[in-house]
Amino acid sequence: MLDLIVVNSITTKIKGLKLLLGYVYKLRPNLEQSAKIDSWLDKLRATYNWSLADRINTYQQRFIQGEYCDLRTRSVACPLTCCVLNNSATGEPWRKNGEKRTAKEIQITALPQLKKARPWYREIDSTVLQQNLERLNKAYENFFAGRGFPKFKNRSNFKSFTYATGVQLKGNKIYLPKLGWMRYYNSRPIPDGFKVKSVTVRKKADGYYVSIRIENSSIPSFPILPIDEVKTVIGVDAGVTKLLHCSDKSVIENPRFGTNPKTKRQLKIRQRRLSRCKKGSKNSKKKATQLAKLHHKIKQKREAYAWKVAHKIVKKADCIVVEDLNIQGLLKRCKPIKCEQTGRFLPNDQSAKKALHRSIIDASWHSLFQKSEYLAAKLGKVFLKVDPKKTSQTCPKCGYADKENRNKEKFVCLDCGHFSDSDWNASINLKNRAISQFNLKIKQPRKVRQDLSEPKQLSLFETPSPELTEVQRRQHSARNSKRDVPGNPPTQLSLWDIQDLA
Ligand SMILES: [Zn+2]
């Protein structure tokens, strides 16, 4: 059996004048190291949850106590319930220079106390402990930005920790502080001029991975083509039956890695095996990892394919136009219908919609577009998102928009009679929309007639052959079937030329 190929994923952030990249490698820890990583994860999860509870409690106690302790005299009303800051935590709330600390800083300064009280935390690298609290703070920042309250973590959603410094790379070995030198699959060299910034160790179904953030401050960022120098545009319409329809008439298939009949059956079998095990038993653990491995494999296939497709579409033109999809909106559940007389809930087609939702999730348009955006930036091309409203109903010839224009795969304009494939139509509409919205100056392709070459004049001693030669015949059939012409173009020997047969 072939070894599972480690798929590298690249993420990027262009911040100011620095280029940040993320490279992912698979780790090869020995038994001792993997056991250590597992125990670290348990311990870090405990501190994460404790710190979150701490921040929640101190916030609530503020309302019990009513007011702060005296800020001016710094006299503490009660050491347990004192809450100087909004969302503060236990620990030293003041800096040496008299300034207030933020909740994150308070919790980080309390880490030595934690190590004293619980000596087993000393085996964890100190930057890892700090980054763990940084992660909690980031969760709070997300909450303040309107994205849901931080959650308490369990084993299934706490699987990583981050190093801020101290990581070294040498050949196929990586040094992780307090875990030691560890082997890894060096599937991609780190480019010259890049420095390792932060390193995250992540546990996945089939092992441990490390994602390394590398930074190069000498490269400003990817040079992006100015929008008025764009010469060619391609519109890309995403779908489920076919993954992408491009405005150049090319179609990209959807392999349905997670929802094709074969994997669906396999998933069903493994899910059933797990469900028939006794909960918490050794066997159930085994079955759970088998199921997780299958999910992981599907995910890796999907990601690899998405990179391939992204490369393909980005190479097609200077400017790539996609729809600005609201995928969350597409995945909304149907509204429940309640019968007023009986108070019962009536069928609302949710079960029928579920299959479509699964296919949409399986197609993973968002990650595909993200990858295309990154690659477009890398190649200095423009990546645009336009409003997809009514793109599949509008006629690209006359602009008439009607729901009746489209009948599944067929598109027939009720106004001017223009007809074509409806998905292809949508991609052309996206392209046209981007051209008008961003005022692009497009170079029209020159039309070349291919069948206008003049008949060749025969020389005096040449006799026209009634039959086509082998090469001519191949060329002729190739031209008809739009294939590339095989072999070299034929050259006519002149009368006294001797063909070199050696
Ligand atoms: Zn029309």
Side-chain angles (χ1 to χ4, degrees):
M1 206 186 99
L2 275 169
D3 275 10
L4 209 78
I5 301 158
V6 182
V7 182
N8 277 304
S9 67
I10 309 170
T11 47
T12 185
K13 253 178 205 169
I14 301 156
K15 260 188 193 170
L17 289 168
K18 284 172 192 168
L19 183 63
L20 276 170
L21 294 171
Y23 276 26
V24 179
Y25 301 96
K26 191 172 181 186
L27 286 172
R28 299 168 67 192
N30 56 31
L31 283 175
E32 203 186 320
Q33 286 167 332
S34 56
K36 232 178 190 177
I37 294 174
D38 284 346
S39 84
W40 281 26
L41 283 174
D42 284 339
K43 284 165 196 163
L44 289 168
R45 198 179 71 241
T47 42
Y48 183 93
N49 285 339
W50 188 86
S51 306
L52 174 56
D54 184 42
R55 282 180 81 150
I56 294 170
N57 286 340
T58 34
Y59 176 72
Q60 284 168 348
Q61 277 164 6
R62 208 188 114 184
F63 295 106
I64 299 167
Q65 199 180 333
E67 272 304 315
Y68 303 149
C69 54
D70 197 328
L71 286 179
R72 202 159 37 87
T73 61
R74 287 206 225 162
S75 61
V76 178
C78 166
L80 281 174
T81 55
C82 165
C83 192
V84 182
L85 271 166
N86 196 5
N87 292 327
S88 80
T90 49
E92 178 53 42
W94 300 97
R95 280 202 199 109
K96 273 178 191 154
N97 61 7
E99 278 176 27
K100 279 190 284 184
R101 282 198 164 106
T102 61
K104 180 188 89 184
E105 287 165 341
I106 290 170
Q107 288 188 328
I108 285 175
T109 47
L111 281 175
Q113 290 172 27
L114 171 79
K115 282 184 193 170
K116 219 177 233 175
R118 295 179 171 80
W120 51 91
Y121 276 97
R122 280 188 195 142
E123 70 170 59
I124 302 177
D125 185 60
S126 56
T127 62
V128 171
L129 281 166
Q130 286 167 16
Q131 290 296 311
N132 193 35
L133 295 172
E134 181 79 45
R135 183 176 168 183
L136 174 63
N137 196 54
K138 207 157 261 172
Y140 259 98
E141 276 170 15
N142 274 336
F143 166 61
F144 295 139
R147 271 176 242 126
F149 195 75
K151 277 182 186 136
F152 286 102
K153 300 283 188 183
N154 56 26
R155 262 204 188 136
S156 65
N157 58 16
F158 192 95
K159 292 191 165 180
S160 68
F161 55 83
T162 305
Y163 286 97
T165 51
V167 176
Q168 295 168 43
L169 291 164
K170 207 177 189 183
N172 65 344
K173 281 185 175 173
I174 183 168
Y175 179 74
L176 300 167
K178 299 243 174 158
L179 285 173
W181 284 98
M182 195 185 287
R183 291 188 297 169
Y184 74 104
Y185 294 98
N186 192 355
S187 46
R188 177 196 297 260
I190 286 176
D192 290 334
F194 279 85
K195 267 192 273 172
V196 173
K197 253 210 115 188
S198 70
V199 171
T200 300
V201 178
R202 189 165 280 119
K203 192 184 178 183
K204 289 186 183 174
D206 69 334
Y208 301 88
Y209 287 78
V210 66
S211 61
I212 302 173
R213 273 168 76 100
I214 48 176
E215 183 194 71
N216 191 342
S217 45
S218 60
I219 299 175
S221 68
F222 297 120
I224 286 173
L225 198 71
I227 208 155
D228 41 300
E229 280 178 33
V230 170
K231 293 204 175 85
T232 48
V233 181
I234 191 161
V236 177
D237 177 60
V240 168
T241 44
K242 300 274 180 204
L243 190 61
L244 297 177
H245 280 264
C246 303
S247 58
D248 64 347
K249 275 197 174 178
S250 61
V251 174
I252 287 160
E253 296 290 330
N254 184 6
R256 292 177 160 265
F257 291 109
T259 49
N260 65 35
K262 198 181 158 195
T263 39
K264 252 159 89 180
R265 179 169 173 270
Q266 223 170 357
L267 275 172
K268 201 174 163 186
I269 290 169
R270 295 204 183 177
Q271 192 76 58
R272 185 168 56 212
R273 279 184 194 155
L274 173 63
S275 72
R276 292 196 176 158
C277 288
K278 197 179 166 190
K279 253 192 183 176
S281 66
K282 264 190 183 173
N283 237 348
S284 85
K285 256 181 209 166
K286 238 188 256 171
K287 302 296 174 205
T289 45
Q290 278 176 0
L291 178 67
K293 268 184 189 170
L294 183 57
H295 276 297
H296 183 71
K297 207 170 176 181
I298 293 167
K299 192 182 166 192
Q300 276 191 318
K301 278 183 190 171
R302 193 187 288 137
E303 292 265 295
Y305 186 72
W307 278 115
K308 244 185 217 172
V309 171
H311 270 285
K312 222 177 195 175
I313 59 169
V314 163
K315 276 178 192 164
K316 282 180 194 268
D318 288 346
C319 172
I320 295 96
V321 183
V322 299
E323 335 165 45
D324 193 6
L325 287 168
N326 175 14
I327 293 165
Q328 288 290 317
L330 290 175
L331 296 177
K332 253 183 197 155
R333 292 178 69 88
C334 299
K335 268 186 188 168
I337 307 165
K338 203 174 183 179
C339 181
E340 285 187 6
Q341 286 146 6
T342 54
R344 281 182 164 186
F345 287 102
L346 300 171
N348 62 346
D349 286 342
Q350 174 58 39
S351 56
K353 221 178 170 190
K354 207 158 119 190
L356 177 67
H357 288 176
R358 281 194 180 149
S359 304
I360 290 172
I361 293 165
D362 191 29
S364 66
W365 299 319
H366 179 73
S367 90
L368 175 61
F369 288 163
Q370 249 185 346
K371 288 175 174 76
S372 321
E373 192 171 4
Y374 162 74
L375 288 174
K378 203 175 169 189
L379 297 174
K381 296 184 173 184
V382 183
F383 187 85
L384 298 173
K385 280 185 175 177
V386 294
D387 183 19
K389 207 176 175 189
K390 287 189 180 172
T391 41
S392 59
Q393 299 166 8
T394 312
C395 172
K397 284 264 163 77
C398 66
Y400 175 70
D402 194 336
K403 217 175 178 180
E404 298 292 306
N405 277 355
R406 185 187 173 165
N407 181 11
K408 283 172 191 170
E409 282 162 34
K410 285 176 211 152
F411 181 94
V412 180
C413 180
L414 295 180
D415 198 44
C416 72
H418 165 76
F419 66 93
S420 66
D421 182 80
S422 52
D423 290 306
W424 179 45
N425 233 5
S427 63
I428 288 174
N429 279 329
L430 286 169
K431 179 183 167 182
N432 291 343
R433 208 168 274 192
I435 290 170
S436 62
Q437 200 175 328
F438 296 94
N439 223 350
L440 303 174
K441 291 171 198 99
I442 304 300
K443 214 169 129 189
Q444 290 298 329
R446 261 194 307 158
K447 279 183 183 168
V448 184
R449 289 182 66 175
Q450 289 181 338
D451 52 341
L452 219 69
S453 56
E454 286 186 14
K456 199 185 160 199
Q457 183 65 52
L458 292 169
S459 65
L460 195 63
F461 299 107
E462 253 178 358
T463 43
S465 120
E467 283 179 347
L468 296 172
T469 62
E470 173 60 22
V471 174
Q472 278 172 333
R473 200 179 55 72
R474 268 156 62 191
Q475 274 184 332
H476 184 75
S477 68
R479 210 177 294 130
N480 284 0
S481 65
K482 289 177 187 167
R483 270 194 300 121
D484 282 340
V485 180
N488 298 322
T491 44
Q492 178 68 50
L493 292 172
S494 74
L495 200 61
W496 286 279
D497 267 0
I498 300 158
Q499 196 170 10
D500 192 11
L501 292 169

